[in-house]
Structure formats: C-alpha cells, structure tokens
Amino acid sequence: MAHGFATRVGAGADQAKGWQATARTYALLPLRIFLGVTFIYAGLDKLTDSAFFHATGTGSIGELMHGVRDSSAIPALVDLALKSPAGFGYAIAFGELAVGIGTLVGLFGRLAALGGALISLSLWLTVSWQTNPYYYGNDLAYLMAWLPLVVAGTPLLSADALLANRRRLRTP
C-alpha cells in the first residue's frame, strides 16, 4: 500500500516536471505572438491612415514630432525625423511591418526582435519620454518585452527552426 502511494506521488512529480519543462519551452511564444501581431497592426494602421504621412495637420507624423520635440530625450533625433516627416513615417511603418512579420513567423527572429527593440527605444526617447510617471508610457515596456526575444530568438514553431532543421539534415 505504501509503495503504491509512493509510485503515484513519484508519477505526479514527473508529470509536474514534464509540464514545467513544456511551459519553459513555450514560454516566449505568447510574447512573440503578441509583439508580432501588435507591430503588424501598428505598421498597417500607419500605412492606411491618409493623414499620418503628412508634414502638418491633425494625426500627421509631422504634428506628432513637432509636439514632442522640446520634451524628448534626444531633440536632435526628432529634428532628423522632421527633415522628412513622410520618409520617417514610412520608415517606421515598414519597419514595424517587417519586425512584426519576422517575429510572428520566426524568420530572422533575433534580428526582427532587435529591430523591434530599436523602434521601441527610439519612440521611448522621443515620443513617450515626457510621460510622467515613466511607467505610463508604453514604449519602454515594449522595449523590455523585446529583449527576451533578442536573447532567445525564435527557436520554436518558426521559419528559423525549419531552416536550421533543413541545414542539419543536409550535413553529413
């Protein structure tokens, strides 16, 4: 009787270890899906907004940049964007789209995550720098969310994993 109980307890512990290992294996997948979908949406939202790429006017990138210029951490970065607001807007929109797609499908995952971190960093230092208290600004949180994917990449359920597996099968 005691032996049967010990066996059941041991099996439960093994199941818990198996569940924990599975959870660790897939822990970054929800973050990857969230960031990928969010950045795809952000890029498409900009690309489909008729006012966004204008140098002036309500909802334009130019108006946004003029509004944050004096309160940003790096005004020179805002000045650079203001030299070509439409060009900067397109760079951000297509950058978000590329980062989102790369992250979601897991193609060049670390590079995509680094791109996402750099976009988030630049937005934090310009657009949301003046947010007080700092934790109300979302760009810093996005920057921190990208860092685990910069470190870990996209090794599961990804184009990167598929390509790595193909390379492994080809090597003698």
Side-chain angles (χ1 to χ4, degrees):
M1 180 114 167
H3 181 268
F5 176 74
T7 302
R8 283 192 304 263
V9 170
D14 288 344
Q15 277 182 330
K17 287 179 185 176
W19 179 86
Q20 290 169 344
T22 301
R24 272 192 303 275
T25 300
Y26 293 97
L28 292 179
L29 197 55
L31 182 62
R32 190 176 123 205
I33 292 167
F34 170 75
L35 290 171
V37 168
T38 300
F39 269 57
I40 289 170
Y41 179 80
L44 290 175
D45 190 44
K46 288 171 182 66
L47 289 170
T48 58
D49 182 350
S50 61
F52 182 74
F53 297 105
H54 294 213
T56 60
T58 305
S60 70
I61 185 71
E63 178 187 48
L64 175 65
M65 292 289 107
H66 281 293
V68 301
R69 194 240 176 247
D70 294 333
S71 61
S72 73
I74 307 175
L77 190 57
V78 178
D79 290 338
L80 183 63
L82 283 170
K83 289 183 180 190
S84 177
F88 179 72
Y90 279 110
I92 290 291
F94 283 118
E96 287 172 337
L97 200 54
V99 162
I101 292 169
T103 300
L104 195 58
V105 301
L107 183 60
F108 304 113
R110 280 194 176 99
L111 183 60
L114 180 61
L118 291 174
I119 289 170
S120 296
L121 176 64
S122 68
L123 292 174
W124 176 56
L125 292 173
T126 57
V127 177
S128 62
W129 180 257
Q130 75 282 1
T131 303
N132 191 10
Y134 77 92
Y135 50 83
Y136 282 163
N138 63 353
D139 295 313
L140 180 58
Y142 278 106
L143 171 60
M144 293 299 119
W146 282 112
L147 295 182
L149 293 176
V150 170
V151 172
T154 54
L156 294 171
L157 302 173
S158 67
D160 287 345
L162 183 65
L163 293 171
N165 195 27
R166 274 194 179 164
R167 282 191 298 269
R168 227 172 300 140
L169 292 175
R170 287 185 192 171
T171 32

